[in-house]
Amino acid sequence: MAGQERIEKPRLEKLDDLIKRGINPYPHKFYRTHTNREAVELFQKLSEADSHATLPDISLAGRITAARFMGKAAFFDIRDGSGKIQLFLRRDDLGDEKYELLHDLDLGDFLGASGKIFKTRSGEITLEVADFTILSKSILPLPEKWHGLVDVEKRYRQRYLDLISNDEVKHIFLTRSQIITAIRKFMDDRGFLEVETPVLQPTFGGALARPFTTHHHSLDQTLYLRIALELYLKRLIIGGFDKVYEISRVFRNEGISVKHNPEFTMMESYEAYADYNDVMQMTEDLVSTVAVGVLGTSEINFGGEVIKLEPPWTRLPLRHALIDKCGIDFMDYPTAEALRARMEEMGMKVDPLKDRGRLIDELLSTYVEPNLKQPTFIVDYPIEMSPLAKKHRDDPRLVERFEAFIGTMELANSFSELNDPREQRERFAGQKQSENTKLIMQSKLAGDVEPEIEQIDDDFVTAMEHGMPPTGGLGVGIDRLVMLLTDKQSIREVILFPQLKTK
């Protein structure tokens, strides 16, 4: 604490000095005529047109990132959201009293300045300052090397310092915005309607995940942060919108890793009269189109691997992939007990509470995913893994589902959506029984009280009973797509404020 006081004290003294001089160090507004980048472009444009052109007075503003005093003159660098520009400040232009105010400024302060732009002998486009205004006095300094903050935890906890200090980080999030814009354009151009659905839901569903639970005091009702967008978007298909999508946050009360954050961004879409084959084609078109639109190429580098996003992507049945990589044909093991015993024979440590679907998913993640570097659709999953997917038209033991993998990451998930309400109710009941048994066993093993059992989403099934057309659904992990297109190996690098344990 004493160290922080030593850091703050000189700046606080300068702040008090400014106030004593009658200067408001935190004014309400500053009128700037151009961003720093616009000022540079203006000079270049006018100089190209006429090297002797009279340049207009302009006003710029930004954070001070460098200051150099040279007798009766000083050079400051200021940075705004568009970039950096140099200021040239002379005592003769500003007057003694105004010039002396410069010594009350520190790196990190915000400054507004007006004057004319010119090019120095070294070729740097610079603003010759006729007047300046202090816009914000910083109490704490920027990181010691403001251009290179490297403390990873500090970067995530104080993302604002990370953005100030690392241009590459700022570029990641500019690219993220461009990716989301490009996705919206792709979906809009295909006739999809963007919608919004509830974040707080009376019954969570649409994925197998543990929810975050909250309580609405006025209604005296338990609510859940959504774990997926699916069930409400399907209600809109039932209601007559043929193509809908939503880009939004979802929340899963689960672990944190380089690929997982408790809240993350999904794009889910649903198209009436389509199946998972149609959605497969749309997915590869979407990813390649976004890559070309944002990066200018469909060939990217990720983790040292050259990845080609141009369609068509490889299509590989899950059954064949597992036989090839671990020798297990899940059709030979119709029960969880039999499959668990086979996995244990292979030396795998298997959770006794996992059902057959989760055991197959564990085999997929252990033996297949690490090999899926180039874009690949793993298709046709066991019915236990997908309670919302339609049975395969050629084999009722499977469902029409794919997951898209790139760079060993799952990027997208899709079904030919189940639209038989009686079968849906049966699937929900079977899933509920399995989940409830697991929860009760976990609670007993941990010595906890018996958990509250969640209800089937009757309202969704009721909606389906009014008739739902054949539908192809898609979920795309936006954060992972950004990881892929910015060559980042951790999801924390592409989420502005990732979840961290409180200090």
Side-chain angles (χ1 to χ4, degrees):
M1 195 67 179
Q4 176 135 328
E5 289 175 357
R6 285 196 299 273
I7 293 171
E8 292 180 12
K9 186 176 179 182
R11 290 175 177 249
L12 289 171
E13 289 173 349
K14 291 178 180 180
L15 177 62
D16 290 338
D17 183 54
L18 291 171
I19 293 171
K20 288 176 183 176
R21 296 189 194 197
I23 296 169
N24 178 7
Y26 303 106
H28 290 77
K29 180 180 171 61
F30 178 79
Y31 176 72
R32 66 173 181 173
T33 59
H34 300 75
T35 66
N36 292 345
R37 179 185 297 167
E38 289 170 346
V40 171
E41 291 171 350
L42 175 65
F43 179 85
Q44 292 170 336
K45 179 181 178 181
L46 293 176
S47 297
E48 288 172 3
D50 181 359
S51 58
H52 301 290
T54 300
L55 297 172
D57 287 335
I58 63 172
S59 296
L60 307 177
R63 185 190 293 274
I64 301 171
T65 56
R68 304 172 295 282
F69 286 90
M70 304 170 64
K72 295 183 178 182
F75 288 92
F76 281 23
D77 290 344
I78 62 168
R79 181 178 293 271
D80 67 4
S82 69
K84 176 182 74 71
I85 198 167
Q86 181 173 258
L87 307 181
F88 177 50
L89 305 107
R90 295 194 306 171
R91 184 184 291 269
D92 291 347
D93 294 332
L94 299 171
D96 292 341
E97 184 176 354
K98 191 82 172 185
Y99 187 80
E100 286 304 314
L101 284 179
L102 296 177
H103 294 286
D104 279 336
L105 299 177
D106 293 290
L107 301 188
D109 295 353
F110 279 85
L111 194 68
S114 58
K116 295 184 185 296
I117 43 177
F118 74 103
K119 184 179 286 187
T120 64
R121 292 178 183 175
S122 63
E124 183 167 0
I125 296 173
T126 301
L127 182 73
E128 185 173 12
V129 179
D131 195 12
F132 68 85
T133 302
I134 299 169
L135 302 180
S136 180
K137 188 83 184 82
S138 62
I139 305 303
L140 292 175
L142 299 177
E144 187 173 344
K145 294 182 178 180
W146 69 268
H147 55 281
L149 178 63
V150 295
D151 183 320
V152 173
E153 181 157 338
K154 190 168 188 176
R155 286 182 52 226
Y156 297 152
R157 288 191 184 279
Q158 297 178 277
R159 183 66 89 181
Y160 49 92
L161 293 180
D162 194 22
L163 294 169
I164 293 169
S165 304
N166 298 316
D167 283 343
E168 181 192 357
V169 173
K170 194 170 186 179
H171 179 70
I172 290 169
F173 292 104
L174 289 172
T175 303
R176 180 185 174 107
S177 178
Q178 292 165 358
I179 289 169
I180 293 173
T181 298
I183 291 171
R184 282 196 165 98
K185 183 178 188 308
F186 179 92
M187 300 303 290
D188 293 345
D189 288 348
R190 289 199 168 211
F192 282 81
L193 174 71
E194 184 174 10
V195 296
E196 294 177 304
T197 59
V199 173
L200 292 174
Q201 301 182 352
T203 303
F204 61 92
L208 296 178
R210 178 186 297 166
F212 287 94
T213 306
T214 187
H215 189 78
H216 192 290
H217 293 286
S218 179
L219 296 177
D220 191 23
Q221 180 180 354
T222 297
L223 295 173
Y224 306 92
L225 295 181
R226 62 184 172 198
I227 60 173
L229 311 174
E230 179 167 351
L231 299 184
Y232 281 91
L233 290 176
K234 286 183 182 177
R235 286 169 168 87
L236 298 180
I237 293 290
I238 294 166
F241 289 120
D242 288 345
K243 294 182 177 183
V244 294
Y245 78 99
E246 182 173 5
I247 299 175
S248 193
R249 275 285 211 257
V250 296
F251 308 86
R252 299 185 183 178
N253 196 353
E254 298 174 341
I256 297 173
S257 73
V258 293
K259 295 181 182 178
H260 299 88
N261 194 64
E263 56 176 310
F264 57 98
T265 304
M266 287 282 291
M267 190 281 284
E268 286 199 32
S269 69
Y270 293 86
E271 180 178 358
Y273 316 114
D275 68 5
Y276 77 143
N277 292 302
D278 300 307
V279 180
M280 245 183 281
Q281 182 177 343
M282 187 179 80
T283 302
E284 59 191 7
D285 288 344
L286 167 67
V287 174
S288 60
T289 300
V290 169
V292 171
V294 175
L295 305 180
T297 178
S298 62
E299 191 170 297
I300 63 170
N301 288 288
F302 181 72
E305 190 88 14
V306 176
I307 293 176
K308 298 179 179 180
L309 300 175
E310 190 71 24
W313 297 357
T314 300
R315 287 152 170 78
L316 180 61
L318 174 59
R319 183 183 182 187
H320 297 167
L322 287 174
I323 292 171
D324 179 54
K325 295 303 178 183
C326 68
I328 291 181
D329 182 349
F330 57 72
M331 292 298 193
D332 293 338
Y333 303 92
T335 67
E337 291 73 20
L339 183 56
R340 186 179 301 112
R342 179 69 182 95
M343 293 168 68
E344 288 172 345
E345 286 176 6
M346 297 171 59
M348 297 182 69
K349 292 183 179 180
V350 183
D351 183 347
L353 299 179
K354 285 188 174 180
D355 59 23
R356 182 172 180 266
R358 283 187 167 89
L359 292 176
I360 295 171
D361 189 57
E362 186 172 339
L363 290 171
L364 169 62
S365 61
T366 302
Y367 292 103
V368 179
E369 282 186 33
N371 301 290
L372 301 177
K373 295 181 179 179
Q374 295 300 323
T376 304
F377 293 116
I378 299 294
V379 303
D380 302 340
Y381 284 61
I383 194 167
E384 296 93 332
M385 297 179 71
S386 309
L388 294 163
K390 202 173 186 70
K391 285 181 181 177
H392 199 284
R393 62 198 76 183
D394 298 323
D395 189 337
R397 296 171 298 176
L398 303 176
V399 293
E400 294 192 348
R401 174 187 177 186
F402 74 74
E403 289 182 297
F405 292 88
I406 308 176
T408 73
M409 292 190 301
E410 178 202 341
L411 185 72
N413 187 26
S414 169
F415 308 146
S416 293
E417 301 294 339
L418 178 59
N419 63 336
D420 179 338
R422 292 180 299 176
E423 184 178 352
Q424 182 65 85
R425 191 176 291 279
E426 290 172 5
R427 296 258 203 105
F428 274 154
Q431 179 190 1
K432 175 190 172 187
Q433 184 177 6
S434 173
E435 289 298 302
N436 291 348
T437 301
K438 179 182 175 183
L439 284 170
I440 291 168
M441 289 178 67
Q442 285 177 329
S443 298
K444 286 181 177 178
L445 287 172
D448 296 336
V449 297
E450 190 167 304
E452 178 185 351
I453 302 305
E454 303 308 332
Q455 299 299 310
I456 294 173
D457 191 341
D458 286 311
D459 182 69
F460 171 68
V461 179
T462 298
M464 190 183 286
E465 287 172 339
H466 286 85
M468 174 175 159
T471 300
L474 172 66
V476 177
I478 299 297
D479 308 293
R480 291 185 182 180
L481 180 58
V482 177
M483 288 171 64
L484 185 71
L485 298 185
T486 58
D487 192 15
K488 294 302 168 188
Q489 303 302 305
S490 171
I491 198 169
R492 293 184 177 186
E493 294 287 352
V494 300
I495 295 177
L496 277 168
F497 301 102
Q499 190 66 45
L500 301 168
K501 190 173 183 178
T502 303
K503 280 188 173 182

